[in-house]
Amino acid sequence: MDWGDEYSLNSFDLHCLLNSFPGDLEFKQIFSDIEEKIEQNATSIEHCIKEIQSEVNKQHPDVQLRTTTDCFEWLNNYSYNSSKSPSVPHGELIKFLKTMQDLLKNEQNQEEMILDLLWGLSCQSSISFPSTLSGTSFHFLSKTSLHSVEDHSSMDVKSIWDDIRLHLRRFLVKKLQSHNEINNSQQKILLKNQCIRRLLFLYPESEVIVKYQNIQDKLLANLLQNCFPSYSRESNLDIMVHGYQSAMLKLYSMIQEDFNTLHEILAPSSTVKFIKETYLNTVTEEMAKFLEKFCELLFKEKAVRVVKTSKSSSKHRGAVHALVTPECPQKARNFSLSLYELIFLSQLIKSFLNLEKNVQGLFEEMFLSLKMPQNTSGILETSSKEAMIGKPRANEASIPSEQLLPVKEATLLEFGWRSAFKEVSPSMAHCIMTAIEDFSTKILQQEQNERSSAISYTMNLVNVQQVWQGSHVIPEKDKPKKIAKFCSDIMEKLDTMLPLALACRDDSFQEIRANFVEACYKVATAVLARLQERGKEVPSKAPLRNLHTLLSTAVYVFQHFTRYDNLMKETTKKPIFLVPVQQYQEFINTLQFQVTDYCVRVCATSILQDAESHHWDNYKAFYEGERCSFSLQMWHYFCWALHHDLWTILPPKLAQEILAEVLEKSLGLLASRYARAHPSYKRTSQIRLDVTTILICTENMLWSVCTSVQKLLNPHEYIDDKIFKIHTHCNNLFTTLVILTSPLTELYKLFLLATGLVTNFRNGEFFQKGEETVRTFQHGIDDSASDSLKSFFNQPLYWFSGIAHFYPSFLRTPSAGGLTAEGQLKLLLSQPCCNWNLLLETLLHHDGLLLRILLKSSKCTFEEQVSDTEKNLNQGSSLIEAIFNVLYHCNFSPQTFGNVFVSYMEEEQLWDFLYNIPASTCMESEPEVMRYFRLALTDAVKDIVQQTISVMSPGRNQETNLNKHSVPECLLKNIPNEWNYIPEETKWKESSKGFTRLAAQAVSIVISKLPTVIACLPPPIKYFFFLSERKMSKNFVELKKAGLLVWNLIVIICRIFEDGNTVELLTGASLDRWCKEKLGLICVCLESIMREQSNPNQMTQKVIQSIEQQKPHWIERHLLKARKLSTECAFMTIEKSTTLEEGDIALELTEQKINTMVLDICHKPGGSEYLRQIYHIMRLNEEYLKEQLFSMNGSEEKPLPIRPLKMTLRSVEDQPSAFNPFHVYKVFSENMLDQSAIRKWNWNWSNLLPNYLGLDKMTFSALLKNRWEMRKNETLEEEEKAMVEHLKRICIVQNSSASDNIEE
């Protein structure tokens, strides 16, 4: 709403868009709001220009400004001539200044009043108070000047004014010093900003900066004295490094604080100069002094004649130089550094690199539009070609607009900390290569000694720790879990030496980097040779597990040198470690092939060589046909042992690739062997049991090698065909089972159906199928099959559909509607690490079924674990926080957030809390979930609160100053009449803008911004409030007007206004009594608008009438617009859900949408930790969640009793248990494969066999030839003999003829 007499500029907070996912209607509202703000700003600027034109035309009759262009040109060309100013009588001026001087000397606490008065005179009456030193020239910007007096009296005026300034300066400096003791950083910045602005009003910028610099120098000196201990031979370098690192962090916080204080007051060049001289030069100087002492003690015993130069000038403060006599050349200053000392220096340099990076990032915000070249000595250099735009000063003459561009050389930030290391850098360059070679050789020799003395050849392993930060963090799926200890020790020490190479910016560090790189090459070659040597020991001396360790270790080294290369590219712009990276990549590929090939060869030549079990000619049943082959059981153990080792050692992605390849190739081997088996009658059932066992084991293993639901159910859609080949082998095995073990009569019916004949065996009659007859078998069964039969037979999961009737599994074919919640959970927890996309997909599955179970159980945790420690309670509480924040940002699935938390609110009966959300944690009984709703809505209305408080501040200052800093009558009477000063009290009383208008403006801000706030809210929370409103609207009449969401936003705003602590936290402004009272009245107005009270109080009525008079029905229109925006998202969600069939909502969330939501969550503060926390709780409570999901299967949900969750967030993978074959056997025999039950399975051959009408005739003939009935000298009944002879005559003879033709 536009208030015409205001000059305030309106802005739109684009940051709120980052947390939202606006639709078309929301975007329309947001752009409309931005357009409205632009129009209001244009109107305000236009109004201001018109008043300037009027004032100029009044005071300068000879100048007539008719257009905006005329106004700008006049302002740019205006140069005030002080000689034309009317003089102020000397007596009046002296009297006014002496009255001020007496008040300051004789009365207490008058400084604030005097400062406000001087500022008011400067702003209102355009009085220019000089800020330069006495005796210098002055610049005048106004029609009157303090120094428009006779020359003989000027010194008296200056002396009195200087005395007043000195008194005020002492007062402000004392306040500045006291502000440093404030803990609240935001409040400290605001108060220091105010003090410095007032000092700049009284004194020149150079003097103010020097004075403030002296204050900060004392603070910095105390910090450095406490954290920068002096060096001696007895010093503990580890303790000293810790002290320096702590000091650097505190130093940066001081720099950041002063940057935020000064960058809005001073010109960029002045801010840069202050930071450089106060902090960067000082810390460089202290480090130079320390290193000077450090070097002296190190080469004290050497006879080196060194003449120290005098300290550098203040202009080049901090540089330490030394002159070397001709008899002692510079290279003689080199001295030996131990590894311990090199690591110490490296850690110091690392602290400076971090400080440099942080300060550079801080100043890049200010110099965003300037291209800042990096020089050899620091962060930013002095550029003669580019300059910074300084902020205009109040006492500078106006300059034309074309001259406002950069015209002078800018002094940019220069951090010369590297100069402090110049004296020690030659020694570092000389010793770094030797030190690296020495420690790497020592570690490799130690590893060799341990290997020689050890009984076992098993390698010592260590867990991989997170080394890199920021953009260099390795994704969890590519991160090795365990590596060889000797390699970890070597790379850990290389990491500590890396900062020495990364510091290279000039010649002093070039040699260090070159030597470091050369040493790394040697280390990489030595480690690679050792890994290759250990690889040759497998399998003759060392176990297969060593190959996994070597592969994981090679990946670890490869990733390290890749990161080194990327870090150094930032300065070298070319690859440095190209050769070792390529060598390790080739070695990784070789090892991966070696692991896979060895595993497959073990399966082929050892595990699957089972003479007793695979004696197919034996006419005696194998264990009465109730047991599968021994080799298959051993194959199953081998696969799970391999699974265990891969999962606990290798990077997850690589582990899955290897396991999938081994499974695929071993299945191919099994499919080939069983297709060639020619069993006797007694061994036919063993074929059926063996193949069934293979399929069940494969099904159980598939969950671990598939990384997504789509890859599990639709492997043919992916380029990687390993999973598809696994399904193909399973289909081939199932074909072998069907053709080889099905009853002869059923198989013969299939044959006759394929040839177009159906036989009635009882009557011995044949009949023709007429028009439905297909081609005879001589032309091939596959030629007679329809396309539908072919496609059905070629489905990847066809083999599983054949055993699904007997074997309960969570695996489902795509036609069955995808995975169940149990299947999603099993797939997620079968992965070697937390798969973010799969985790989110599992959480959103079935409208957040798993999350609803976790929420119920988390409540049970609070109630039943009262005696637990506070830590456990906090962890339990954080589960609700994690679930809330994850679902809050799932913009493509708003219904999950709504359904999960509406269900939770219903169960916990929290609707009363939702109707009246508090603005702070003042309510002890506030449910935890309500706290997160409150925080979400509070963050949404923060911009409204800030603008409202900013509107109230001028009124607060005008009214409170009447009592707080009232100007004494004696001082008012002595203000020269020529200045035409009007006291603030008079202006406030005469102003047409009373509190009614101020309150109307504040209420208008709140109401006008509500639609945009709702448009920027994420869809999940809007959908939640829509669902909640339908449950609550019957009880609360107020909701009918604007809706539950709008109501809660208004309530939150009112509660914030009533709570001064929350206002201070959000805006940094402390509320006084006046402001609290007026904000309370605004709250009454807002609540009255929402509740539609029939008899509002008089003040409320005035405020609402004031708004309605300017724009009738304006409030009602904005509330309706806000309500429409709050429900539009919900209607779209409901409409989309109704168009989908049951179970299809989860399928609607494509991989792209899931990935988008995961990225959005992880980019929010704490997002990835929330996901990880939920994942670990699910893994800890896997069995409990399975029980709950199993109990919910069926038409009626009968959940089991809720029990407390295991809330310990210790990673399950941190300490994996050793592989236990007995546990695998138990799972195999009890949960997976009941062999005696499989024998009794009643196979429905009449349904299975017709699916093989599309089978290739060569395959059918080959398998048919291996049936037991085809063996010689088998005892058959007459009908069976007839069928066999018919099949032999047609199938086998035809096949032989075809083979002969091929040979010819």
Side-chain angles (χ1 to χ4, degrees), residues 966-1017:
S966 179
V967 181
E969 189 65 28
C970 61
L971 186 58
L972 281 175
K973 290 191 300 183
N974 292 325
I975 297 176
N977 295 328
E978 287 80 3
W979 291 348
N980 298 321
Y981 175 71
I982 302 175
E984 293 292 332
E985 300 92 321
T986 306
K987 286 178 62 181
W988 174 254
K989 293 176 182 178
E990 294 177 355
S991 175
S992 61
K993 178 184 176 182
F995 173 71
T996 301
R997 186 166 179 77
L998 189 67
Q1001 186 178 0
V1003 171
S1004 299
I1005 289 174
V1006 174
I1007 300 298
S1008 65
K1009 282 188 168 292
L1010 278 177
T1012 304
V1013 167
I1014 291 175
C1016 292
L1017 280 174

Side-chain angles (χ1 to χ4, degrees), residues 928-1199:
E928 187 184 1
V929 70
M930 299 313 303
R931 178 157 63 95
Y932 304 125
F933 278 109
R934 170 174 56 79
L935 292 174
L937 297 183
T938 301
D939 186 65
V941 301
K942 184 165 58 177
D943 186 47
I944 294 180
V945 173
Q946 288 176 338
Q947 289 203 25
T948 307
I949 296 298
S950 65
V951 166
M952 299 298 294
S953 296
R956 174 195 63 186
N957 293 336
Q958 289 175 347
E959 187 165 308
T960 55
N961 284 343
L962 302 183
N963 302 320
K964 192 172 181 180
H965 301 302
S966 179
V967 181
E969 189 65 28
C970 61
L971 186 58
L972 281 175
K973 290 191 300 183
N974 292 325
I975 297 176
N977 295 328
E978 287 80 3
W979 291 348
N980 298 321
Y981 175 71
I982 302 175
E984 293 292 332
E985 300 92 321
T986 306
K987 286 178 62 181
W988 174 254
K989 293 176 182 178
E990 294 177 355
S991 175
S992 61
K993 178 184 176 182
F995 173 71
T996 301
R997 186 166 179 77
L998 189 67
Q1001 186 178 0
V1003 171
S1004 299
I1005 289 174
V1006 174
I1007 300 298
S1008 65
K1009 282 188 168 292
L1010 278 177
T1012 304
V1013 167
I1014 291 175
C1016 292
L1017 280 174
I1021 200 166
K1022 288 189 276 191
Y1023 186 71
F1024 166 80
F1025 276 100
F1026 173 79
L1027 295 181
S1028 302
E1029 183 180 335
R1030 293 198 299 186
K1031 292 183 175 292
M1032 298 173 61
S1033 57
K1034 296 179 181 178
N1035 302 326
F1036 304 108
V1037 180
E1038 292 88 350
L1039 303 181
K1040 295 181 179 179
K1041 181 176 183 179
L1044 179 62
L1045 179 55
V1046 177
W1047 166 259
N1048 270 285
L1049 289 172
I1050 294 293
V1051 169
I1052 286 286
I1053 292 170
C1054 292
R1055 297 295 178 268
I1056 291 174
F1057 288 160
E1058 293 168 359
D1059 184 7
N1061 293 331
T1062 308
V1063 171
E1064 184 175 351
L1065 185 65
L1066 292 177
T1067 65
S1070 56
L1071 300 181
D1072 54 20
R1073 185 176 179 182
W1074 182 92
C1075 210
K1076 289 180 179 179
E1077 290 178 357
K1078 303 310 179 186
L1079 287 175
L1081 291 174
I1082 292 174
C1083 293
V1084 173
C1085 294
L1086 292 172
E1087 291 176 355
S1088 176
I1089 291 172
M1090 296 300 296
R1091 294 180 184 273
E1092 293 185 341
Q1093 296 177 351
S1094 56
N1095 295 315
N1097 61 45
Q1098 187 176 2
M1099 178 60 69
T1100 303
Q1101 197 170 0
K1102 285 183 179 179
V1103 171
I1104 298 175
Q1105 286 178 353
S1106 174
I1107 299 173
E1108 289 295 326
Q1109 285 175 359
Q1110 189 169 5
K1111 288 188 177 181
H1113 306 294
W1114 180 84
I1115 296 176
E1116 184 178 354
R1117 287 199 306 271
H1118 270 72
L1119 291 178
L1120 289 175
K1121 185 189 295 184
R1123 180 175 177 80
K1124 182 180 179 182
L1125 287 165
S1126 66
T1127 57
E1128 183 71 17
C1129 171
F1131 286 140
M1132 292 178 61
T1133 303
I1134 293 174
E1135 182 180 353
K1136 187 182 298 183
S1137 300
T1138 54
T1139 58
L1140 297 170
E1141 297 179 0
E1142 184 180 357
D1144 287 344
I1145 295 178
L1147 296 178
E1148 182 210 357
L1149 292 173
T1150 61
E1151 290 186 19
Q1152 184 179 3
K1153 289 182 178 179
I1154 292 288
N1155 187 58
T1156 301
M1157 289 190 289
V1158 167
L1159 290 175
D1160 192 29
I1161 292 169
C1162 291
H1163 287 158
K1164 298 296 185 297
S1168 58
E1169 292 305 316
Y1170 290 138
L1171 286 171
R1172 191 181 301 277
Q1173 180 181 356
I1174 296 172
Y1175 172 76
H1176 283 305
I1177 291 176
M1178 291 172 67
R1179 182 174 280 280
L1180 287 168
N1181 298 274
E1182 179 180 358
E1183 295 302 322
Y1184 169 69
L1185 292 174
K1186 287 180 179 178
E1187 292 173 3
Q1188 289 290 325
L1189 292 173
F1190 180 77
S1191 69
M1192 293 180 180
N1193 285 336
S1195 57
E1196 296 184 3
E1197 292 187 359
K1198 296 180 180 179

Side-chain angles (χ1 to χ4, degrees), residues 201-388:
F201 174 73
L202 299 172
Y203 287 91
E205 181 181 294
S206 58
E207 288 188 53
V208 175
I209 291 178
V210 169
K211 192 63 183 177
Y212 184 59
Q213 191 172 358
N214 292 336
I215 296 173
Q216 297 305 96
D217 281 343
K218 293 179 181 179
L219 285 176
L220 184 59
N222 293 332
L223 172 66
L224 297 180
Q225 184 178 2
N226 295 331
C227 299
F228 275 32
S230 59
Y231 177 73
S232 65
R233 271 298 180 185
E234 294 75 23
S235 299
N236 187 321
L237 297 184
D238 292 334
I239 296 177
M240 295 188 71
V241 164
H242 179 74
Y244 276 102
Q245 291 173 343
S246 175
M248 289 299 184
L249 293 175
K250 294 177 182 177
L251 177 64
Y252 174 68
S253 66
M254 294 177 66
I255 293 175
Q256 190 177 31
E257 187 179 286
D258 275 347
F259 174 82
N260 293 329
T261 301
L262 299 175
H263 82 281
E264 292 183 356
I265 304 175
L266 305 179
S269 58
S270 300
T271 305
V272 168
K273 183 180 179 182
F274 177 85
I275 297 296
K276 175 186 173 185
E277 293 182 353
T278 307
Y279 296 106
L280 303 184
N281 287 357
T282 303
V283 73
T284 301
E285 180 182 0
E286 291 297 323
M287 180 53 64
K289 293 177 181 177
F290 169 81
L291 290 175
E292 180 183 5
K293 181 70 173 178
F294 180 79
C295 294
E296 284 178 1
L297 292 177
L298 284 180
F299 60 78
K300 187 176 181 181
E301 299 177 357
K302 298 183 179 182
V304 180
R305 297 169 58 191
V306 179
V307 180
K308 298 292 182 181
T309 61
S310 59
K311 291 186 178 180
S312 305
S313 63
S314 59
K315 182 177 181 181
H316 300 92
R317 183 176 170 186
V320 177
H321 302 279
L323 295 179
V324 183
T325 60
E327 294 82 3
C328 179
Q330 178 68 25
K331 63 179 182 179
R333 292 177 56 82
N334 290 349
F335 50 89
S336 298
L337 291 170
S338 66
L339 175 64
Y340 187 44
E341 291 162 345
L342 276 174
I343 292 176
F344 168 70
L345 292 172
S346 177
Q347 295 303 304
L348 291 183
I349 290 176
K350 182 180 179 181
S351 298
F352 275 101
L353 286 172
N354 291 335
L355 178 63
E356 182 180 66
K357 181 180 178 181
N358 291 335
V359 174
Q360 183 176 6
L362 195 65
F363 278 86
E364 279 177 355
E365 299 177 5
M366 183 166 66
F367 302 135
L368 193 60
S369 60
L370 297 177
K371 185 177 180 181
M372 310 300 295
Q374 291 188 338
N375 75 332
T376 59
S377 58
I379 301 176
L380 305 170
E381 66 178 354
T382 302
S383 172
S384 59
K385 296 180 181 179
E386 296 177 315
M388 295 173 296

Side-chain angles (χ1 to χ4, degrees), residues 572-585:
T572 61
K573 307 302 180 184
K574 59 182 180 180
I576 300 294
F577 294 97
L578 184 61
V579 174
V581 166
Q582 291 178 345
Q583 289 176 342
Y584 274 88
Q585 183 63 68

